[in-house]
Amino acid sequence: MSENIFITEAEITGDADADGPLAGRTVAVKDNISTEGVRTTCGSRMLEDYVPPYDATVVSRLKDAGATIVGKTNMDEFGMGTTTETSYFGSTENPAAPGRVPGGSSGGSAAAVAAGDADLALGSDTGGSVRCPAAFCGVVGIKPTYGLVSRYGLVAYANSLEQIGPFGQTVEEAAELLDVIAGPDDRDATTREPPEDSNSNSSYADAADGDVDGLSIGVPTELLEGADEGVVETFWDALADLEDQGAEYHEVSLPSVEHAVEAYYVIAMSEASSNLARFDGVRYGNSGGYEGNWNDAFGRAREEGFGDEVKRRILLGTYALSAGYHDKYYKKAQDARAWVKQDFDQALSDADVLASPTMPVPPFELGESLDDPMQMYLADANTVPVNLADLPAVSVPVGETDGLPVGLQLVGPAFGERQVVRAASALE
C-alpha cells in the first residue's frame, strides 16, 4: 500500500440486497464528500474533527447499490492543488511511480484504485482533479457533464465548476460507478436530465464496447504546445491505435484556451473566497479555542485552520471580487469562459470527440512544485478548459514515458458521456 492514501478508514456496508449493481465492490470516497457519522475533513485542519450528520447523495446511492465504502481518501486541502501535497495530513505517494505525486486534488482516490486498496473510488473535478490523478496513477477517471451528478453533500470549493466523478481500473468499471451516481436530485437544483437520444436508455457501462469505426476525433493543436516530448509521442501512438480500429482524426483549433487557465483561476478563487467564508470558527470549523473578541477569534481560527495554498486562493479571490476590480478581473474571466465554451462547441460540431494528453507532463517528484505554485497552476492547461465549458471528459492510461504513466483525455459534447466512454474503451 502506498503511504497516506486514507485519512479515515471505515467499512460502511451498502443497504441493498446482495444482487445490487455494486454488491461485493469496495469504494473509496474523497474526503470532501459527506458521509454520515464518518469524519469528513477536506484535508484541512479546519475540519479535522468534523463528522457530518448526513450522507451526500452520491454516498446514499452507493449504499443503495450495495457497495462497501472502505474509507475517506486524502486530498489537497479543500480541493486546492494538483499534487495532493497541500493536505494537512501529509502527502500521498503515487503507487504507480514511487517518489512521485499521485496528482490532485483527488490523489488519494486515484492512489487507492491504483494500489488495489479499493475497486472503485469517487473524486471531485473542479479543473482536472479527477483526470489529473487518473493520468498520473495510470487508472481511468471520468469528469461528467456539469449537472449530471448531484453535488449535494460535496463541500463546495468552486461550485459553478466542480463535479463528482468516478475512478476505476478499467473504463467499464468507472462507467458502472457513473451509472450508479448519475441522475437528477431534488436537493441539487443544478442537476439535469440528459436530453433524449437513441442511446439514452442504455447504460454508460454498455457504451464501453470499443467500437470506434467511423469515429471522428478532433485534436486541438493548442493542447499539444509545450507538452513533454515523451507525453506527446505516447499520445500520437494512441491515436494511431484508434486509427487502426477505424477512427479518423484531424487537427482543430481552440484559440481561447490561451486564456483558459487565467480565467479558471480567477473564477475558482473568487468562488472559493465566498464559499470558504463560512469557516470562521463559529458556524463551522476549528475555533482554535480562542476566547478573545469576535474579530480576533475569527482571524485566529482562519490563520490556524487554513494552509498556505487555501489562504493564497482566498486572498486572490477576495481581491478579484472587491470594489473597483470586479469588472477588471471576474467579469472578464466570465467573458473568457463564454469564449471557451463557444470554441469547444465549434470544434465538436466537426468531430465526435476531442483528444489531447490529459496532463502535459509526467508526474512530478514529491516536493518539486510546492515552492512554485505557478508551475502547479500551469500544469492544468489541458484540463481546466473542459470545466469552463461544462463538458464531459475521461482520462484513460495509454502508456508510459521514461517509466511514468501517461493519460489521454477525450472530451465530448454536453451529456456525451457514452461517446467518450466508447472511445476510451477502445484504447484499453
Side-chain angles (χ1 to χ4, degrees), residues 337-354:
R337 181 177 189 171
W339 183 19
V340 170
K341 173 66 173 170
Q342 177 180 299
D343 277 357
F344 270 98
D345 289 344
Q346 178 61 44
L348 286 164
S349 69
D350 298 322
D352 297 316
V353 296
L354 305 179

mmCIF file with all atom_site columns, all heavy atoms in Angstrom, residues 337-354:
data_model
loop_
_atom_site.group_PDB
_atom_site.id
_atom_site.type_symbol
_atom_site.label_atom_id
_atom_site.label_alt_id
_atom_site.label_comp_id
_atom_site.label_asym_id
_atom_site.label_entity_id
_atom_site.label_seq_id
_atom_site.pdbx_PDB_ins_code
_atom_site.Cartn_x
_atom_site.Cartn_y
_atom_site.Cartn_z
_atom_site.occupancy
_atom_site.B_iso_or_equiv
_atom_site.pdbx_formal_charge
_atom_site.auth_seq_id
_atom_site.auth_comp_id
_atom_site.auth_asym_id
_atom_site.auth_atom_id
_atom_site.pdbx_PDB_model_num
ATOM 1   N N   . ARG A 1 337 ? -14.723 32.654 -20.258 1.00 0.00 ? 337 ARG A N   1
ATOM 2   C CA  . ARG A 1 337 ? -15.379 31.348 -20.098 1.00 0.00 ? 337 ARG A CA  1
ATOM 3   C C   . ARG A 1 337 ? -16.383 31.110 -21.231 1.00 0.00 ? 337 ARG A C   1
ATOM 4   O O   . ARG A 1 337 ? -16.445 30.016 -21.807 1.00 0.00 ? 337 ARG A O   1
ATOM 5   C CB  . ARG A 1 337 ? -16.076 31.267 -18.745 1.00 0.00 ? 337 ARG A CB  1
ATOM 6   C CG  . ARG A 1 337 ? -16.765 29.943 -18.482 1.00 0.00 ? 337 ARG A CG  1
ATOM 7   C CD  . ARG A 1 337 ? -17.376 29.887 -17.088 1.00 0.00 ? 337 ARG A CD  1
ATOM 8   N NE  . ARG A 1 337 ? -17.835 28.545 -16.787 1.00 0.00 ? 337 ARG A NE  1
ATOM 9   C CZ  . ARG A 1 337 ? -18.261 28.141 -15.586 1.00 0.00 ? 337 ARG A CZ  1
ATOM 10  N NH1 . ARG A 1 337 ? -18.270 28.992 -14.571 1.00 0.00 ? 337 ARG A NH1 1
ATOM 11  N NH2 . ARG A 1 337 ? -18.661 26.916 -15.398 1.00 0.00 ? 337 ARG A NH2 1
ATOM 12  N N   . ALA A 1 338 ? -17.166 32.130 -21.548 1.00 0.00 ? 338 ALA A N   1
ATOM 13  C CA  . ALA A 1 338 ? -18.123 32.003 -22.650 1.00 0.00 ? 338 ALA A CA  1
ATOM 14  C C   . ALA A 1 338 ? -17.408 31.753 -23.970 1.00 0.00 ? 338 ALA A C   1
ATOM 15  O O   . ALA A 1 338 ? -17.891 30.989 -24.829 1.00 0.00 ? 338 ALA A O   1
ATOM 16  C CB  . ALA A 1 338 ? -18.983 33.264 -22.733 1.00 0.00 ? 338 ALA A CB  1
ATOM 17  N N   . TRP A 1 339 ? -16.265 32.364 -24.150 1.00 0.00 ? 339 TRP A N   1
ATOM 18  C CA  . TRP A 1 339 ? -15.466 32.180 -25.366 1.00 0.00 ? 339 TRP A CA  1
ATOM 19  C C   . TRP A 1 339 ? -14.959 30.740 -25.449 1.00 0.00 ? 339 TRP A C   1
ATOM 20  O O   . TRP A 1 339 ? -14.994 30.111 -26.522 1.00 0.00 ? 339 TRP A O   1
ATOM 21  C CB  . TRP A 1 339 ? -14.316 33.185 -25.362 1.00 0.00 ? 339 TRP A CB  1
ATOM 22  C CG  . TRP A 1 339 ? -13.433 33.188 -26.574 1.00 0.00 ? 339 TRP A CG  1
ATOM 23  C CD1 . TRP A 1 339 ? -13.714 32.670 -27.814 1.00 0.00 ? 339 TRP A CD1 1
ATOM 24  C CD2 . TRP A 1 339 ? -12.105 33.706 -26.648 1.00 0.00 ? 339 TRP A CD2 1
ATOM 25  N NE1 . TRP A 1 339 ? -12.641 32.853 -28.667 1.00 0.00 ? 339 TRP A NE1 1
ATOM 26  C CE2 . TRP A 1 339 ? -11.642 33.488 -27.980 1.00 0.00 ? 339 TRP A CE2 1
ATOM 27  C CE3 . TRP A 1 339 ? -11.265 34.357 -25.749 1.00 0.00 ? 339 TRP A CE3 1
ATOM 28  C CZ2 . TRP A 1 339 ? -10.380 33.876 -28.403 1.00 0.00 ? 339 TRP A CZ2 1
ATOM 29  C CZ3 . TRP A 1 339 ? -9.998  34.747 -26.174 1.00 0.00 ? 339 TRP A CZ3 1
ATOM 30  C CH2 . TRP A 1 339 ? -9.572  34.516 -27.490 1.00 0.00 ? 339 TRP A CH2 1
ATOM 31  N N   . VAL A 1 340 ? -14.481 30.211 -24.335 1.00 0.00 ? 340 VAL A N   1
ATOM 32  C CA  . VAL A 1 340 ? -14.022 28.823 -24.292 1.00 0.00 ? 340 VAL A CA  1
ATOM 33  C C   . VAL A 1 340 ? -15.158 27.878 -24.673 1.00 0.00 ? 340 VAL A C   1
ATOM 34  O O   . VAL A 1 340 ? -14.989 26.959 -25.493 1.00 0.00 ? 340 VAL A O   1
ATOM 35  C CB  . VAL A 1 340 ? -13.464 28.475 -22.896 1.00 0.00 ? 340 VAL A CB  1
ATOM 36  C CG1 . VAL A 1 340 ? -13.210 26.970 -22.773 1.00 0.00 ? 340 VAL A CG1 1
ATOM 37  C CG2 . VAL A 1 340 ? -12.179 29.244 -22.613 1.00 0.00 ? 340 VAL A CG2 1
ATOM 38  N N   . LYS A 1 341 ? -16.319 28.082 -24.096 1.00 0.00 ? 341 LYS A N   1
ATOM 39  C CA  . LYS A 1 341 ? -17.482 27.244 -24.400 1.00 0.00 ? 341 LYS A CA  1
ATOM 40  C C   . LYS A 1 341 ? -17.814 27.309 -25.892 1.00 0.00 ? 341 LYS A C   1
ATOM 41  O O   . LYS A 1 341 ? -18.083 26.282 -26.532 1.00 0.00 ? 341 LYS A O   1
ATOM 42  C CB  . LYS A 1 341 ? -18.671 27.718 -23.564 1.00 0.00 ? 341 LYS A CB  1
ATOM 43  C CG  . LYS A 1 341 ? -19.999 27.059 -23.895 1.00 0.00 ? 341 LYS A CG  1
ATOM 44  C CD  . LYS A 1 341 ? -20.014 25.585 -23.569 1.00 0.00 ? 341 LYS A CD  1
ATOM 45  C CE  . LYS A 1 341 ? -21.389 24.995 -23.738 1.00 0.00 ? 341 LYS A CE  1
ATOM 46  N NZ  . LYS A 1 341 ? -21.387 23.514 -23.662 1.00 0.00 ? 341 LYS A NZ  1
ATOM 47  N N   . GLN A 1 342 ? -17.775 28.492 -26.461 1.00 0.00 ? 342 GLN A N   1
ATOM 48  C CA  . GLN A 1 342 ? -18.070 28.676 -27.879 1.00 0.00 ? 342 GLN A CA  1
ATOM 49  C C   . GLN A 1 342 ? -17.073 27.916 -28.756 1.00 0.00 ? 342 GLN A C   1
ATOM 50  O O   . GLN A 1 342 ? -17.455 27.265 -29.737 1.00 0.00 ? 342 GLN A O   1
ATOM 51  C CB  . GLN A 1 342 ? -18.035 30.165 -28.206 1.00 0.00 ? 342 GLN A CB  1
ATOM 52  C CG  . GLN A 1 342 ? -18.260 30.507 -29.669 1.00 0.00 ? 342 GLN A CG  1
ATOM 53  C CD  . GLN A 1 342 ? -18.203 32.016 -29.879 1.00 0.00 ? 342 GLN A CD  1
ATOM 54  O OE1 . GLN A 1 342 ? -18.993 32.775 -29.330 1.00 0.00 ? 342 GLN A OE1 1
ATOM 55  N NE2 . GLN A 1 342 ? -17.237 32.457 -30.672 1.00 0.00 ? 342 GLN A NE2 1
ATOM 56  N N   . ASP A 1 343 ? -15.792 27.981 -28.397 1.00 0.00 ? 343 ASP A N   1
ATOM 57  C CA  . ASP A 1 343 ? -14.765 27.291 -29.181 1.00 0.00 ? 343 ASP A CA  1
ATOM 58  C C   . ASP A 1 343 ? -14.941 25.775 -29.124 1.00 0.00 ? 343 ASP A C   1
ATOM 59  O O   . ASP A 1 343 ? -14.771 25.070 -30.134 1.00 0.00 ? 343 ASP A O   1
ATOM 60  C CB  . ASP A 1 343 ? -13.374 27.669 -28.680 1.00 0.00 ? 343 ASP A CB  1
ATOM 61  C CG  . ASP A 1 343 ? -12.878 28.985 -29.253 1.00 0.00 ? 343 ASP A CG  1
ATOM 62  O OD1 . ASP A 1 343 ? -13.599 29.577 -30.077 1.00 0.00 ? 343 ASP A OD1 1
ATOM 63  O OD2 . ASP A 1 343 ? -11.772 29.411 -28.891 1.00 0.00 ? 343 ASP A OD2 1
ATOM 64  N N   . PHE A 1 344 ? -15.261 25.239 -27.951 1.00 0.00 ? 344 PHE A N   1
ATOM 65  C CA  . PHE A 1 344 ? -15.485 23.802 -27.832 1.00 0.00 ? 344 PHE A CA  1
ATOM 66  C C   . PHE A 1 344 ? -16.699 23.372 -28.651 1.00 0.00 ? 344 PHE A C   1
ATOM 67  O O   . PHE A 1 344 ? -16.669 22.339 -29.338 1.00 0.00 ? 344 PHE A O   1
ATOM 68  C CB  . PHE A 1 344 ? -15.664 23.398 -26.368 1.00 0.00 ? 344 PHE A CB  1
ATOM 69  C CG  . PHE A 1 344 ? -14.390 23.027 -25.668 1.00 0.00 ? 344 PHE A CG  1
ATOM 70  C CD1 . PHE A 1 344 ? -13.727 23.941 -24.870 1.00 0.00 ? 344 PHE A CD1 1
ATOM 71  C CD2 . PHE A 1 344 ? -13.844 21.761 -25.800 1.00 0.00 ? 344 PHE A CD2 1
ATOM 72  C CE1 . PHE A 1 344 ? -12.544 23.612 -24.227 1.00 0.00 ? 344 PHE A CE1 1
ATOM 73  C CE2 . PHE A 1 344 ? -12.674 21.410 -25.158 1.00 0.00 ? 344 PHE A CE2 1
ATOM 74  C CZ  . PHE A 1 344 ? -12.015 22.333 -24.368 1.00 0.00 ? 344 PHE A CZ  1
ATOM 75  N N   . ASP A 1 345 ? -17.782 24.141 -28.574 1.00 0.00 ? 345 ASP A N   1
ATOM 76  C CA  . ASP A 1 345 ? -18.972 23.797 -29.348 1.00 0.00 ? 345 ASP A CA  1
ATOM 77  C C   . ASP A 1 345 ? -18.662 23.777 -30.839 1.00 0.00 ? 345 ASP A C   1
ATOM 78  O O   . ASP A 1 345 ? -19.132 22.894 -31.576 1.00 0.00 ? 345 ASP A O   1
ATOM 79  C CB  . ASP A 1 345 ? -20.102 24.790 -29.052 1.00 0.00 ? 345 ASP A CB  1
ATOM 80  C CG  . ASP A 1 345 ? -20.686 24.625 -27.655 1.00 0.00 ? 345 ASP A CG  1
ATOM 81  O OD1 . ASP A 1 345 ? -20.443 23.573 -27.042 1.00 0.00 ? 345 ASP A OD1 1
ATOM 82  O OD2 . ASP A 1 345 ? -21.382 25.547 -27.192 1.00 0.00 ? 345 ASP A OD2 1
ATOM 83  N N   . GLN A 1 346 ? -17.856 24.748 -31.288 1.00 0.00 ? 346 GLN A N   1
ATOM 84  C CA  . GLN A 1 346 ? -17.490 24.796 -32.695 1.00 0.00 ? 346 GLN A CA  1
ATOM 85  C C   . GLN A 1 346 ? -16.643 23.584 -33.087 1.00 0.00 ? 346 GLN A C   1
ATOM 86  O O   . GLN A 1 346 ? -16.884 22.938 -34.123 1.00 0.00 ? 346 GLN A O   1
ATOM 87  C CB  . GLN A 1 346 ? -16.712 26.084 -32.982 1.00 0.00 ? 346 GLN A CB  1
ATOM 88  C CG  . GLN A 1 346 ? -16.223 26.224 -34.429 1.00 0.00 ? 346 GLN A CG  1
ATOM 89  C CD  . GLN A 1 346 ? -17.357 26.242 -35.437 1.00 0.00 ? 346 GLN A CD  1
ATOM 90  O OE1 . GLN A 1 346 ? -18.360 26.922 -35.218 1.00 0.00 ? 346 GLN A OE1 1
ATOM 91  N NE2 . GLN A 1 346 ? -17.209 25.497 -36.525 1.00 0.00 ? 346 GLN A NE2 1
ATOM 92  N N   . ALA A 1 347 ? -15.662 23.260 -32.263 1.00 0.00 ? 347 ALA A N   1
ATOM 93  C CA  . ALA A 1 347 ? -14.796 22.120 -32.568 1.00 0.00 ? 347 ALA A CA  1
ATOM 94  C C   . ALA A 1 347 ? -15.579 20.812 -32.580 1.00 0.00 ? 347 ALA A C   1
ATOM 95  O O   . ALA A 1 347 ? -15.340 19.932 -33.417 1.00 0.00 ? 347 ALA A O   1
ATOM 96  C CB  . ALA A 1 347 ? -13.650 22.057 -31.566 1.00 0.00 ? 347 ALA A CB  1
ATOM 97  N N   . LEU A 1 348 ? -16.539 20.682 -31.658 1.00 0.00 ? 348 LEU A N   1
ATOM 98  C CA  . LEU A 1 348 ? -17.311 19.450 -31.565 1.00 0.00 ? 348 LEU A CA  1
ATOM 99  C C   . LEU A 1 348 ? -18.412 19.364 -32.615 1.00 0.00 ? 348 LEU A C   1
ATOM 100 O O   . LEU A 1 348 ? -19.032 18.313 -32.777 1.00 0.00 ? 348 LEU A O   1
ATOM 101 C CB  . LEU A 1 348 ? -17.901 19.309 -30.157 1.00 0.00 ? 348 LEU A CB  1
ATOM 102 C CG  . LEU A 1 348 ? -16.877 18.921 -29.080 1.00 0.00 ? 348 LEU A CG  1
ATOM 103 C CD1 . LEU A 1 348 ? -17.424 19.164 -27.691 1.00 0.00 ? 348 LEU A CD1 1
ATOM 104 C CD2 . LEU A 1 348 ? -16.460 17.454 -29.244 1.00 0.00 ? 348 LEU A CD2 1
ATOM 105 N N   . SER A 1 349 ? -18.648 20.449 -33.332 1.00 0.00 ? 349 SER A N   1
ATOM 106 C CA  . SER A 1 349 ? -19.582 20.378 -34.453 1.00 0.00 ? 349 SER A CA  1
ATOM 107 C C   . SER A 1 349 ? -18.955 19.664 -35.642 1.00 0.00 ? 349 SER A C   1
ATOM 108 O O   . SER A 1 349 ? -19.662 19.199 -36.544 1.00 0.00 ? 349 SER A O   1
ATOM 109 C CB  . SER A 1 349 ? -20.032 21.791 -34.862 1.00 0.00 ? 349 SER A CB  1
ATOM 110 O OG  . SER A 1 349 ? -18.961 22.518 -35.458 1.00 0.00 ? 349 SER A OG  1
ATOM 111 N N   . ASP A 1 350 ? -17.617 19.558 -35.634 1.00 0.00 ? 350 ASP A N   1
ATOM 112 C CA  . ASP A 1 350 ? -16.894 18.903 -36.727 1.00 0.00 ? 350 ASP A CA  1
ATOM 113 C C   . ASP A 1 350 ? -16.216 17.614 -36.277 1.00 0.00 ? 350 ASP A C   1
ATOM 114 O O   . ASP A 1 350 ? -15.439 17.028 -37.029 1.00 0.00 ? 350 ASP A O   1
ATOM 115 C CB  . ASP A 1 350 ? -15.834 19.852 -37.296 1.00 0.00 ? 350 ASP A CB  1
ATOM 116 C CG  . ASP A 1 350 ? -16.448 21.110 -37.898 1.00 0.00 ? 350 ASP A CG  1
ATOM 117 O OD1 . ASP A 1 350 ? -17.514 21.002 -38.525 1.00 0.00 ? 350 ASP A OD1 1
ATOM 118 O OD2 . ASP A 1 350 ? -15.857 22.195 -37.721 1.00 0.00 ? 350 ASP A OD2 1
ATOM 119 N N   . ALA A 1 351 ? -16.462 17.188 -35.037 1.00 0.00 ? 351 ALA A N   1
ATOM 120 C CA  . ALA A 1 351 ? -15.836 15.971 -34.519 1.00 0.00 ? 351 ALA A CA  1
ATOM 121 C C   . ALA A 1 351 ? -16.744 15.351 -33.466 1.00 0.00 ? 351 ALA A C   1
ATOM 122 O O   . ALA A 1 351 ? -17.517 16.059 -32.803 1.00 0.00 ? 351 ALA A O   1
ATOM 123 C CB  . ALA A 1 351 ? -14.462 16.284 -33.914 1.00 0.00 ? 351 ALA A CB  1
ATOM 124 N N   . ASP A 1 352 ? -16.656 14.035 -33.322 1.00 0.00 ? 352 ASP A N   1
ATOM 125 C CA  . ASP A 1 352 ? -17.454 13.350 -32.295 1.00 0.00 ? 352 ASP A CA  1
ATOM 126 C C   . ASP A 1 352 ? -16.851 13.564 -30.909 1.00 0.00 ? 352 ASP A C   1
ATOM 127 O O   . ASP A 1 352 ? -17.577 13.733 -29.921 1.00 0.00 ? 352 ASP A O   1
ATOM 128 C CB  . ASP A 1 352 ? -17.520 11.850 -32.605 1.00 0.00 ? 352 ASP A CB  1
ATOM 129 C CG  . ASP A 1 352 ? -18.224 11.550 -33.908 1.00 0.00 ? 352 ASP A CG  1
ATOM 130 O OD1 . ASP A 1 352 ? -19.288 12.159 -34.156 1.00 0.00 ? 352 ASP A OD1 1
ATOM 131 O OD2 . ASP A 1 352 ? -17.703 10.732 -34.688 1.00 0.00 ? 352 ASP A OD2 1
ATOM 132 N N   . VAL A 1 353 ? -15.530 13.531 -30.815 1.00 0.00 ? 353 VAL A N   1
ATOM 133 C CA  . VAL A 1 353 ? -14.819 13.765 -29.555 1.00 0.00 ? 353 VAL A CA  1
ATOM 134 C C   . VAL A 1 353 ? -13.547 14.542 -29.865 1.00 0.00 ? 353 VAL A C   1
ATOM 135 O O   . VAL A 1 353 ? -13.081 14.574 -31.012 1.00 0.00 ? 353 VAL A O   1
ATOM 136 C CB  . VAL A 1 353 ? -14.460 12.446 -28.825 1.00 0.00 ? 353 VAL A CB  1
ATOM 137 C CG1 . VAL A 1 353 ? -15.701 11.693 -28.402 1.00 0.00 ? 353 VAL A CG1 1
ATOM 138 C CG2 . VAL A 1 353 ? -13.550 11.574 -29.682 1.00 0.00 ? 353 VAL A CG2 1
ATOM 139 N N   . LEU A 1 354 ? -12.982 15.160 -28.830 1.00 0.00 ? 354 LEU A N   1
ATOM 140 C CA  . LEU A 1 354 ? -11.686 15.819 -28.937 1.00 0.00 ? 354 LEU A CA  1
ATOM 141 C C   . LEU A 1 354 ? -10.677 15.038 -28.097 1.00 0.00 ? 354 LEU A C   1
ATOM 142 O O   . LEU A 1 354 ? -11.030 14.497 -27.045 1.00 0.00 ? 354 LEU A O   1
ATOM 143 C CB  . LEU A 1 354 ? -11.767 17.261 -28.438 1.00 0.00 ? 354 LEU A CB  1
ATOM 144 C CG  . LEU A 1 354 ? -12.831 18.153 -29.079 1.00 0.00 ? 354 LEU A CG  1
ATOM 145 C CD1 . LEU A 1 354 ? -12.794 19.547 -28.457 1.00 0.00 ? 354 LEU A CD1 1
ATOM 146 C CD2 . LEU A 1 354 ? -12.654 18.231 -30.586 1.00 0.00 ? 354 LEU A CD2 1
#
